[in-house]
Each structure stands twice: as C-alpha cells, then as structure tokens.
C-alpha cells in the first residue's frame, strides 16, 4: 500500500518581511516550523514518506506565469532594501526578500514533488508544507503573499506530464484564490471550487468576481464554483453543509482524475484573518470526504493560516486523515446558519443549468442585501480568552487512541472467504443461553438455529466495538435485518447513546427499531415496502438503478443520507445488507467508506451470508487499505428522486443538515 508523501524543508523559512507592514506581518516563517513540530509531536512525520524539495524550473514556472514576471521575481535576488520595497509596492499585499525567489522555486518544486509521487503511484496522497503560498498569484503578478501559483502550475503540470483530463481544485483557504480562478476560468478540464469570506464584497480582495454568480467563461462555464461567506463565524456545520450540498455532488458528477487542495487554514478557529470557527477536526472530515474522489489521488498544498496553534492542529488533523487514522467526531451542534444557507442556495441555483445533480431540487436566488459600508461585526471568540489553551483542551477531548484492531470478522468457522490482510477473525462466542436471553424479544418463529448461531458469535464482537477494542466489525448472518435488530438492542444495552441503523435490501425486520429516540433507522429498498411506522426516527426510500452503466447513488448519499447522519451524529453505525439487487456493490462500498468518517469509524456491517461479492468489497473497505475507485456517476432518475424528496420533506425539520434552502 502506497502511503502519504510529505514535503517540508526549513529552507523555506529563509525569507521574511523586512519592514513594517501590518497587512503582511502575519505571514511568518514559524508558520512552517510550528506545523511541522506539531506533526512530529503527534508522531505523524515518521509515518509519512518524506520527499525532498527541489527548485521548480523556469519552464515549469512558465506553465502559468509570463517571462516578464519571472524576470521581475528573479531580479529581487540581488536587490537592496529600498528596491525590494519598491518592487513589493507594485503589487497588492505582497512583499519580497532576497531569498523570496529561491523559496518560491522550492515552494513550487515541493508541490510538484508531491504531484509526481501521487501520479506515479509512489504515494497514495500527500501534503506539501510550503511557503510562500500560491493561490492569489497571477500570470504576471504577485498578490496576497503569493509569488508563484503553486496549485495552478501543479494542475498544468499534471495535465502535460500525466495527461490528466479532469482535475478538481478545492480551495478551502478563507480567501478567494482569484489567481486560480483567472488562470482556469475558460478551462473545463479544471473544476475550481472556493469558499471565502466575502461579506457582500467588503472583505479582501473585494472583487465582484468572487461572488457566487461568477461561474466561469466560454467553455469553462460551470467549472468555477464560488461560495462566498457573507458573515464571519462560520463553523463546522456550515462547512460540512457546503461540501454536502454544493461541492461533493458536482465533484462526483465531474469525476476528477486528480484532486488538488489549496489547503489554507485561515478558515479555522482563532485565525485573525478568517474570523471563522471551524475546529481542527473539521479538516479531517473535509479531507476524508475528498479521499473518495480520483481513486484517492489527492495533494494538499499549504496556502494561508495565521494562528500558529490553530494552523498546526488543523494541518495535523489533515495528515492524520490522509494516513487513514479514525476521523474524530465533530464538535458542536450540526445546524448551518441562515447566512450559510443563503450562500449555498445561491451557488446551487447558478450552477443548476450545468450540473444535473442540482436539477431535482427547487432552486431560486435569495435576495442579496448589500452590507457594504455597514460596520463589521464584533470580533469573534471573545468567549475564548486563550485560544491556545482552548485548542489544547479541545484536542485532548476529541482525540482518542486508535483501537488495536481495525477490522474484526465474525463468520462461521466453515467460512471459506479470503480474508484481506489486516482483518482479524473473531474467536470468542457467547453461550447459547446468553444469546437466547438477548434475543428473547423476537417471535419464536423468527428464531431459527442458524440465526441463533450467528448471534452467539456476534455478541462478544459488539462488546469489543462499543469499547473501542476494534474500530469496526463485519458479521455474516442468515438474516441481516434480524441480526441488525439484535445488534441495535445490544449496543444500546452496552452504553451506546445514538445508534444509526441503515438497512439495505430485505426488510424482514423484527421488533421496531427506532422508537426510543436513541436510534435512527433508515431502510433503502428497491421494492414496494410493507407498511411500517414512519417518523423522524424511522425512514425509508425506494432506490433502484434502471441501468448498469454507472450509478446515481451519490445523489442519495449527498442529498439525504450523509446530511441525515451528520445531523444525528451517531456514536455507532449498524449497516445491514440483505439480499438485494437495488443498490450496487460499488455504491454500498462508497456508503460504507463515507460512513467511516462518522462515529470514529465504529461501523458494524451485517451482511447476508450469500452476498459474497458484498462481503469481499466491504471487508476491503473496512480494513482500511483499499483505495477503491468509485464512480463514474450519472444523474439520478426522476423516479428515485421522487421517493427521496417525499422523505426529505418529513425529515428536514428535525435533521437540519438536510436543509439547503434558506427560506
Ligand atoms: C495566502 C493568503 C492572504 C492575504 C491577505 C491580505 N493570503 N490582506 O492567505
Ligand atoms: Zn488565505
């Protein structure tokens, strides 16, 4: 298994601001060393494949930049202080030092090193800890501390060298990467997504083309997605909603071959520029979701991030997730704010002519109120007097030891399947008396010997799952939905407080699941359902692919399933898969993999014994080494959308992440 590449070199700390300029003073060399130090403290550096930096060549720089601009930057090497100041003044929010040119070449070269590692298969994914940053830089201009546009050059480089046809750039820095936008605005092979603090145009760089209605030009129309934040204080729920309702559906429809992330962390809590409140583990979730695109080929390229502790914690969470450690549970209430919903609604509306995933929901514009000239809101986090201390406590709270076992298999001894490396076979079994006690709530006729046998083997595994002795578990059963019902009851008994149960396929359900407020049960079936009680805790929709050339399940995932799960925030997930033909194995695999981002990966998959293909696919997902290729995806059929939309209406009043219209 190819791992995670990491580029870092202290050489890129050898330039800094030489004069007084409050705007540029935040971009300090320690941004790099403190991030690296934190990675070391978490013992993450050792687990990465270290790559050396190199200087980018002139030819590489000129993939995006003009000869004239390159010569200007080059000439700063031999300038004196006054000349450096003069040159810096020609640009907006830029500064040069005699080592700027050298460091900018290392920064870009380091970026290309990660791209090479990921594209050649030397690494699955990677991160470049570099400075100067790049996303504001333009063909012939430095801007916003950026000299060369690292990510834009990386995209051109990947297109030329590896013949990549579709690249997704995700810019989660809190500033608009207008440089990247300008470079690719006509180019349909690069899909650029940026969210940014905007405040109706009053926040730097104060450009009208940063608004949601700039969607690209010519052949590139529809391939530029701007999500402006019109208020400060956006947090975890807002960022996750933006991914679920705007970026991910389009990204899956686009089906990139490579993902580049302009990974700026000024969008995190405590940052003096962004004034947002997303906590470090939010970046784990964003990373985890993006890992399902492009067969996992993803390069994280550092951009901004000016609160050293927040930056370094968020960088660490990103790298941990690239290394496939469990994703911590998100903190805070999962309710997006009104202003975030306005932005999301508007972005979806302007893109609905170009992306079929948006065709099925009502979209309309929210009236824009200009707050230009109004006083800026009071600084946030006044409630957090010491941000460093807050972050230290916060990280202690959310980070837990990784369970010693990743995946546990519960199977009859005569099971002949090939276990993937890393999967552990459950040896313990409960006594038949214990099992009978546990399942006595069931009708006697449902209790046959085979079911009893599988429950006997499942009970000790549930204990290990609840007590984090294993991260996840897969169990084979003659009747998946009955076993799941037993499991729900048992994990609640063992102390789980919020259990999500998803049943796909057969709906031969035992006693009602989900009437206690602690359980949400969702059933997905291709057939007409029997009548069953229906509430905000028990829901079902019909799903059937009408062809086998590509599936459209991603629509159900992002429009319904994941928003529901993110609202509910389960501490354990039970996924029951009965005999079915309505949801493709690949889609069940994608669902399982995405669900691992919740409940710290505590997923119990209960699969009907005869579904060999599904058992094998899920085992590979759960042992955590499969870099599966999902997709390509096609737009959903009207029929599937209809059933899902009905459920949405019932559910979204309670589960607020489902909402994607402001009013
Ligand atoms: C890379 C980055 C910010 C420039 C802010 C200027 N640049 N006010 O975050
Ligand atoms: Zn920034």
């Amino acid at each position: 298994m190819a791992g995670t590449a990491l580029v870092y070199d202290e050489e890129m700390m050898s330039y800094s601001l030489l004069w007084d300029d409050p705007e540029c003073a935040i971009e300090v060399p320690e941004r790099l060393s403190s991030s690296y130090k934190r990675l070391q403290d978490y013992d993450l550096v050792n687990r990465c494949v270290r790559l050396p930096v190199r200087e980018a060549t002139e030819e590489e720089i000129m993939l995006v930049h003009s000869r004239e601009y390159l010569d200007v930057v080059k000439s700063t090497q031999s300038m004196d202080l006054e000349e450096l100041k003069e040159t810096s003044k020609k640009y907006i929010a830029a500064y040069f030092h005699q080592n700027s040119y050298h460091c900018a070449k290392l920064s870009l070269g380091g970026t290309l090193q990660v791209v090479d590692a990921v594209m050649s298969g030397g690494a699955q994914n990677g991160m470049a800890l570099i400075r100067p940053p790049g996303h504001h830089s333009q063909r012939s201009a430095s801007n916003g501390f950026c000299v060369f546009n690292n990510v834009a050059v990386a995209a051109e480089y990947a297109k030329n060298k590896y013949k990549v046809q579709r690249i997704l750039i995700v810019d989660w820095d809190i500033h608009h990467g207008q440089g990247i936008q300008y470079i690719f605005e006509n180019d349909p092979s690069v899909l650029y997504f940026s969210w940014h603090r905007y405040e109706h145009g009053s926040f730097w760089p104060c450009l009208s083309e940063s608004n949601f209605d700039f969607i690209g030009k010519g052949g590139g129309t529809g391939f530029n997605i701007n999500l402006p934040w019109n208020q400060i204080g956006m947090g975890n729920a807002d960022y996750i909603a933006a991914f679920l309702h705007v970026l991910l559906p389009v990204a899956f429809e686009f089906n990139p071959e490579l993902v580049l992330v302009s990974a700026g962390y000024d969008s995190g809590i405590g940052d003096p520029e962004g004034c947002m409140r997303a906590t470090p583990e939010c970046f784990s979730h964003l990373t985890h979701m993006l890992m399902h695109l492009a067969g996992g080929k993803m390069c994280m390229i550092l951009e901004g991030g000016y609160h050293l502790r927040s930056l370094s914690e968020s960088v660490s969470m990103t790298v941990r997730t690239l290394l496939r450690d469990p994703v911590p549970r998100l903190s805070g209430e999962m309710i997006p704010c009104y202003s975030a919903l306005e932005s999301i609604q508007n972005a979806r509306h302007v893109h609905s002519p170009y992306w079929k995933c948006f065709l099925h929901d009502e979209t309309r514009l929210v009236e824009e109120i200009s707050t230009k000239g109004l006083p800026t809101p009071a600084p946030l986090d006044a409630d957090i007097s010491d941000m460093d201390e807050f972050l230290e406590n916060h990280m202690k709270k959310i980070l837990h030891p990784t369970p010693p076992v990743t995946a546990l298999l519960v199977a009859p001894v005569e099971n002949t399947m090939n276990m993937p490396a890393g999967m552990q076979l459950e040896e313990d079994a409960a006594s038949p008396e214990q099992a009978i006690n546990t399942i006595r709530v069931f009708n006697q006729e449902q209790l046959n010997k085979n079911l009893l046998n599988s429950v006997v083997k499942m009970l000790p595994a549930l204990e290990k799952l609840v007590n984090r002795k294993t991260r996840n578990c897969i169990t084979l059963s003659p009747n998946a939905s009955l076993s799941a019902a037993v499991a729900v009851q048992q994990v609640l008994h063992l102390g789980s407080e919020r259990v999500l149960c998803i049943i796909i396929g057969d709906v031969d359900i035992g006693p009602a699941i989900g009437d206690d407020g602690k359980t949400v049960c969702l059933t997905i079936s291709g057939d007409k359902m029997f009548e069953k009680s229906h509430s905000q805790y028990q829901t079902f929709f019909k799903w059937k692919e009408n062809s086998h050339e590509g599936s459209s399940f991603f629509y159900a995932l992002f429009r319904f399933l994941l928003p529901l799960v993110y609202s509910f925030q389960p501490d354990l997930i039970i996924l029951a898969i009965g005999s079915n033909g309505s949801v493709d194995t690949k889609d069940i695999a994608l669902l399982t993999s995405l669900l691992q981002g919740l409940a710290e990966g505590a997923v119990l998959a209960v699969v009907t014994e005869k579904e060999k293909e599904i058992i094998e696919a899920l085992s590979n997902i759960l042992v955590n080494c499969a870099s599966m290729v999902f997709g390509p995806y096609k737009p959903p059929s009207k029929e599937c959308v209809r059933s899902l939309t009905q459920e949405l209406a019932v559910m979204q009043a309670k589960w607020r992440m489902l909402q994607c219209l402001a009013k």
Side-chain angles (χ1 to χ4, degrees), residues 313-333:
E313 295 295 352
S314 296
V315 165
S316 299
M317 294 311 295
T318 304
V319 173
R320 264 175 72 95
T321 306
L322 292 177
L323 286 163
R324 295 168 177 269
D325 278 3
V327 177
R329 289 173 61 182
L330 270 179
S331 54
E333 254 201 313

Side-chain angles (χ1 to χ4, degrees), residues 14-16 73 76-77 84 95-106 132 147-148:
S14 66
Y15 78 99
S16 60
V73 179
T76 62
Q77 292 178 99
L84 286 169
Y95 70 92
F96 285 96
H97 177 284
Q98 287 197 336
N99 288 337
S100 290
Y101 177 55
H102 174 56
C103 291
K105 283 191 293 183
L106 293 179
V147 178
F148 300 134

Side-chain angles (χ1 to χ4, degrees), residues 14-59:
S14 66
Y15 78 99
S16 60
L17 178 66
L18 296 173
W19 53 88
D20 196 44
D21 177 352
E23 189 175 18
C24 294
I26 54 176
E27 204 289 294
V28 295
E30 292 71 33
R31 297 178 55 241
L32 282 194
S33 52
S34 64
S35 299
Y36 185 72
K37 171 82 172 36
R38 208 74 200 105
L39 284 178
Q40 280 181 319
D41 293 344
Y42 284 124
D43 203 24
L44 295 168
V45 172
N46 290 327
R47 297 170 55 199
C48 294
V49 183
R50 265 307 271 286
L51 300 177
V53 287
R54 66 171 175 87
E55 283 196 344
T57 64
E58 294 198 351
E59 195 189 338

Side-chain angles (χ1 to χ4, degrees), residues 64-65 69 133-150 152 177-180 182-183:
V64 158
H65 298 283
Y69 176 61
H135 72 153
H136 298 302
S137 145
Q138 295 147 41
R139 182 175 151 76
S140 294
S142 171
N143 183 289
F145 323 149
C146 301
V147 178
F148 300 134
N149 200 314
N150 305 313
Q178 84 279 36
I180 301 182
Y182 297 153
I183 291 158

Side-chain angles (χ1 to χ4, degrees), residues 197 448 479 540 658:
R197 179 172 170 188
N448 63 50
N479 185 324
F540 53 85
L658 287 165

Side-chain angles (χ1 to χ4, degrees), residues 230 341 405 462 504 536 548 565 580 587:
N230 287 319
L341 286 175
V405 175
L462 294 180
I504 300 177
Q536 286 171 326
H548 281 285
V565 184
N580 94 104
D587 294 327

Side-chain angles (χ1 to χ4, degrees), residues 135-136 173-175 264 266 273 303-306:
H135 72 153
H136 298 302
D173 186 281
I174 207 57
H175 301 95
D266 39 18
E273 276 284 309
E303 300 279 2
Y306 307 102

